Amino acid sequence: MKRTIPYKILCFCNGLVFFAPVSLLLRTSRGVTLSQFFLLQALLSVAIFVFEIPTGMFSDHIGHKKGILVSQILLLCARAIFLIAGNIGFFVLEAVLEALSCCFISGTGEAYLYELCKNDSDSNSFVRENAKAGAYGTAGFIISTVAYAGLYRLVGLNGLVIVTGLATLVSIVAAVCMPEVSPAAAADSPLPQKGTGFLSGITPALFGLLLLDSALCLASLVVNFLYVEKLEWAGIASEWMTPIILGYSALNLLVPSVLKHLERKRDYVLYFVFSLIAAGFFFFLSAVNSLPAVGFMILLPFLLEIMSMILFKLENEYIDSIGKEESRASLLSVMSMGNNFLEVVFLLVSAYVSSEQGNRMFLFLGVLFVVFAFLGNVILRRMRRN
């Protein structure tokens, strides 16, 4: 779909973060201590949690395209601070600007793409285009991860920041070039709007979707934070973490093709099947601490990405069904806010979890995904009936 090309370019440029592998060094070389670095990460998470819904409401008010453009401008400002930062105060400002940037595109980007694809004759176009946009971001991540070492030798830390900033500048141009979409004009809801404001759209069904989404968020957190420890338990050098990340990132590029082949299947059936498969992967990882675990570690994020795309579609279709298209970004931000809260709780709990207990987290997630396979099937079936 040609209309989505500028948005995909934006996603690709957002994935180009050439300084990501040395983000800690970038800060410590400018006077930030290790403890301050972790405090800055905590500040980033808390700020995202606080700003999530207000920025979603603002984006609904000014338009999703403008909200995305604001996000990219704020991101460029955050990148520029790295070049002049000399103390912790600059990095506090950078964390706040980055949090605002994340919040402005979280929910809003998905809402924009859904409205863009909504009137397409193919009802599954949003799922495919959303997966493709994610694949563009993944491609950017892979390229920047592979290229950073060579660039670092050539241009140093500041050079990495400048190249990343140039990519963000391109994303701003892409945001300007995105076609306008009006939720009110695009809306063709089967039900009249009920109540005013986005709060009337927060219903038990929405919380059901939030519950399913939170399970995926928790699984992604385990992938991000416990995979390195899993390698240690398996007696594999932690240096292999980079090839594993690149491996499952490359595999995620296949998600759009997989979804295209599955588009005729019922969504709740797909969610049920993939939940049980993911549960099996978690059970395997909880029991096996050897080389075969690596294959499952690469495949698991691929399954989670497919499930995420299915839920994205269901969340947006639910917003249509209750006639809340004008509050789409706000309601999707509620989903993200729940995930942000879960991330903060996970990080706090992880500080008190031993390695032995960490391995049990995979077992817990296996049980959780079995439960949610059946629970999700019930929730999604009821949504379809209503």
Side-chain angles (χ1 to χ4, degrees), residues 236-366:
I236 301 171
S238 59
E239 286 78 9
W240 280 96
M241 191 62 218
T242 297
I244 289 175
I245 292 174
L246 292 174
Y248 68 66
S249 297
L251 194 60
N252 282 352
L253 296 175
L254 300 176
V255 170
S257 299
V258 173
L259 289 171
K260 184 176 181 179
H261 288 293
L262 298 175
E263 60 187 18
R264 293 188 178 181
K265 306 295 182 181
R266 294 184 182 274
D267 296 324
Y268 60 82
V269 174
L270 291 176
Y271 181 87
F272 178 78
V273 172
F274 281 112
S275 291
L276 290 181
I277 295 173
F281 277 42
F282 281 119
F283 285 136
F284 182 89
L285 290 172
S286 70
V288 176
N289 288 325
S290 58
L291 188 60
V294 173
F296 285 80
M297 291 169 68
I298 292 174
L299 289 171
L300 180 58
F302 175 68
L303 294 176
L304 298 177
E305 183 70 10
I306 292 174
M307 294 175 67
S308 293
M309 293 300 159
I310 294 171
L311 276 183
F312 282 153
K313 177 189 177 186
L314 293 170
E315 289 164 3
N316 280 282
E317 287 180 348
Y318 173 73
I319 292 170
D320 285 346
S321 72
I322 61 174
K324 285 295 174 184
E325 294 91 339
E326 83 288 351
S327 299
R328 189 180 304 279
S330 302
L331 291 172
L332 292 175
S333 292
V334 171
M335 300 283 187
S336 298
M337 188 176 182
N339 291 340
N340 294 334
F341 175 75
L342 185 64
E343 180 175 354
V344 173
V345 172
F346 178 84
L347 291 172
L348 291 174
V349 171
S350 296
Y352 299 96
V353 172
S354 66
S355 294
E356 292 181 3
Q357 293 170 325
N359 211 12
R360 293 172 190 164
M361 180 62 77
F362 290 101
L363 178 61
F364 167 75
L365 281 170

Side-chain angles (χ1 to χ4, degrees), residues 48-71:
I48 290 174
F49 179 78
V50 171
F51 294 135
E52 190 72 60
I53 291 180
T55 53
M57 295 174 65
F58 188 65
S59 292
D60 281 329
H61 178 70
I62 65 174
H64 298 151
K65 174 184 173 178
K66 291 179 182 176
I68 294 171
L69 180 59
V70 170
S71 165

